[in-house]
Amino acid sequence: MIPSEVYALGASGNPIREIADYAMRRAEEVGAENVYDFSIGSPSIAPPAAAQEAAERLMKEMPPTQLHAYSPDQGLPEVRKAVADYLNSAFSMTYAPEDIYMTSGASAGLAIGCRALLSPGDECITLTPYFSEYRTYTEAAGGVMREVSTEPETFQLDYEAFAAAVNEKTWLVILNSPNNPSGVVLGEESIKKIAALLTARSAEYGHPIYILADEPYRDLVYDGDAVPYIPGFYADTVYCYSFSKSLSLPGERVGYLAVPPESKERIALRAAVSGAGRMLGYVCAPVLFQRVCAACLGQTGELREYKKNRDLIYEGLTALGFSCAKPQGAFYLFVKSPEEDARAFCKKAMAHDLLLVPGDDFACPGYARLAYCVPEERLRRALPAFGRLAAEYGLRAE
Ligand code: PLP
């Protein structure tokens, strides 16, 4: 029998993909240059040269039977060691290679993390707005998602709301910084407060409350802001990283989970992560690109292009009278809808061929997400259309 929730998930489709598909159809009607598609968070800058070089060298130098062979479920030993060494030197941690589990991107990492850390009926807290698949993975593990609002406009932690949501059923908190869709970085003070609260509540309830730190955008920050490394503040943090965004390799599907070395449950967590990986069939992440990513740890493509785009669109939209928090990282801008219903706003934007994603899809109605990982030219051409949209709402033009 096909489970109804599985059917419903597949049948409902992915709203962001649907907008992107619409963009392709529309481009055939009016020309691609007249469609301002800001729907998908797919990197627009080239991978660093080192990634291309590593892929070519590996293809040339390694015997094919070795190059394309299975790795152990958890990933190639030398890659796990390289990742552990990198994290240890970047964040003063003490990871062993055995703490690292190579995954097919952050998607698999999150699915594994939720399966490893939640039993049926356990609660998982996340802060809104959030990447909607957190709910999918939580519910797939039998968990219950509890959404906690952040401060309006700034999207920073609302500590009182967070503290009120934590209860004895809470086993997991998923944090994402820099955030998709707001671009906001969770500050050190907030992380310290979360850590202190979870430490106290874990002791009170007699079980650990884990953090799953989802950080595929960690290396995409534009103003020299430091992104605090959450496992350094709270020992029971499973860290989830992906090379999709930092190395512009989303189709190659490589990331990793890092089990916390200071956790009392370290050994059990290693086993749970491996067990969940097996159970979900997420074993042996793509091996060629495990090696490529290991050769490029800590690198990124040319971030100046994203920063230029961020400044262009943030300044352009605020000058037109739109309001939005200035994104510190990732490649998204979360615009406040000039009317209460952000879906209606996105529809009106669509009439100007401006394709945005309603905040409702990130559990944050009243806003819309704009992905500025696009050619700069598209942003420049879109600004007059945003001007017409602003005029429709009677927004102030400066
Ligand atoms: N987490 C966040 C916050 C994301 O925005 C995304 C993708 O957009 C992912 C996880 C999944 O990324 P991937 O599976 O490509 O690594």
Side-chain angles (χ1 to χ4, degrees):
M1 191 171 75
I2 295 175
S4 55
E5 70 281 12
V6 174
Y7 172 83
L9 190 64
S12 64
N14 175 330
I16 298 178
R17 283 265 158 220
E18 277 164 20
I19 299 172
D21 290 346
Y22 168 81
M24 291 215 285
R25 293 196 303 275
R26 182 72 180 143
E28 279 171 21
E29 291 165 21
V30 297
E33 69 285 7
N34 298 314
V35 181
Y36 315 115
D37 182 9
F38 300 116
S39 61
I40 285 199
S42 190
S44 54
I45 64 175
Q52 189 75 32
E53 283 158 19
E56 283 171 13
R57 179 176 42 78
L58 288 160
M59 296 282 284
K60 229 187 275 162
E61 291 176 5
M62 274 188 87
T65 45
Q66 201 182 331
L67 180 66
H68 302 296
Y70 284 119
S71 76
D73 289 358
Q74 295 84 351
L76 291 160
E78 65 273 26
V79 171
R80 296 169 74 200
K81 177 170 183 335
V83 170
D85 290 349
Y86 169 74
L87 292 175
N88 293 342
S89 88
F91 306 114
S92 306
M93 297 295 287
T94 55
Y95 291 107
E98 295 73 23
D99 294 319
I100 309 300
Y101 189 101
M102 300 306 296
T103 62
S104 299
S107 301
L110 291 164
I112 293 172
C114 288
R115 189 70 183 85
L117 300 171
L118 291 168
S119 290
D122 290 348
E123 289 189 9
C124 170
I125 290 179
T126 201
L127 309 179
T128 64
Y130 69 95
F131 178 57
S132 63
E133 299 299 46
Y134 297 164
R135 176 178 283 280
T136 308
Y137 305 136
T138 295
E139 292 179 353
V144 178
M145 176 53 87
R146 190 182 265 257
E147 296 166 353
V148 172
S149 317
T150 47
E151 297 287 355
E153 318 269 325
T154 65
F155 306 109
Q156 282 293 346
L157 177 72
D158 177 344
Y159 178 75
E160 302 306 323
F162 180 72
V166 178
N167 67 85
E168 57 259 277
K169 285 196 192 156
T170 310
W171 275 82
L172 183 60
V173 176
I174 304 181
L175 297 176
N176 170 224
S177 171
N179 178 265
N180 172 11
S182 70
V184 163
V185 170
L186 193 61
E188 188 172 314
E189 279 317 302
S190 298
I191 293 170
K192 284 183 176 159
K193 280 166 122 179
I194 292 173
L197 180 88
L198 295 184
T199 303
R201 296 290 181 92
S202 297
E204 184 185 336
Y205 304 146
H207 69 76
I209 301 175
Y210 295 104
I211 291 179
L212 185 53
D214 178 31
E215 300 196 353
Y217 303 100
R218 149 166 297 279
D219 299 307
L220 308 187
V221 279
Y222 308 116
D223 302 315
D225 291 304
V227 180
Y229 187 67
I230 297 173
F233 292 86
Y234 185 68
D236 282 322
T237 303
V238 175
Y239 179 69
C240 177
Y241 186 80
S242 166
F243 297 96
S244 292
K245 318 287 178 172
S246 56
L247 295 183
S248 297
L249 295 173
E252 305 300 349
R253 314 305 303 134
V254 182
Y256 59 82
L257 284 175
V259 160
E262 303 294 332
S263 170
K264 289 193 195 113
E265 303 295 329
R266 180 187 199 177
I267 302 301
L269 284 170
R270 286 182 187 169
V273 164
S274 289
R278 242 176 102 182
M279 191 168 273
L280 295 168
Y282 284 133
V283 293
C284 176
V287 286
L288 171 56
F289 275 84
Q290 282 189 49
R291 292 188 173 94
V292 169
C293 292
C296 304
L297 291 166
Q299 299 194 36
T300 62
E302 190 43 80
L303 295 189
R304 258 176 316 181
E305 294 182 32
Y306 289 149
K307 180 173 159 54
K308 213 153 111 194
N309 282 1
R310 192 267 319 251
D311 293 342
L312 182 69
I313 195 66
Y314 174 74
E315 280 154 26
L317 291 196
T318 47
L320 287 169
F322 289 102
S323 118
C324 35
K326 188 168 185 183
Q328 296 155 277
F331 35 50
Y332 307 107
L333 187 81
F334 210 38
V335 190
K336 192 165 195 305
S337 168
E339 63 179 302
E340 205 180 323
D341 181 353
R343 289 196 190 279
F345 168 58
C346 289
K347 259 208 177 126
K348 285 188 190 139
M350 198 180 243
H352 295 274
D353 288 310
L354 294 163
L355 306 185
L356 311 175
V357 182
D360 309 59
D361 294 340
F362 304 91
C364 194
Y367 290 83
R369 187 188 80 171
L370 181 157
Y372 58 79
C373 42
V374 296
E376 183 189 337
E377 169 72 6
R378 188 181 306 169
L379 289 169
R380 290 198 182 281
R381 289 178 62 91
L383 280 173
F386 275 113
R388 291 189 287 277
L389 183 63
E392 218 174 294
Y393 282 102
L395 299 181
R396 138 188 73 93
E398 277 177 4

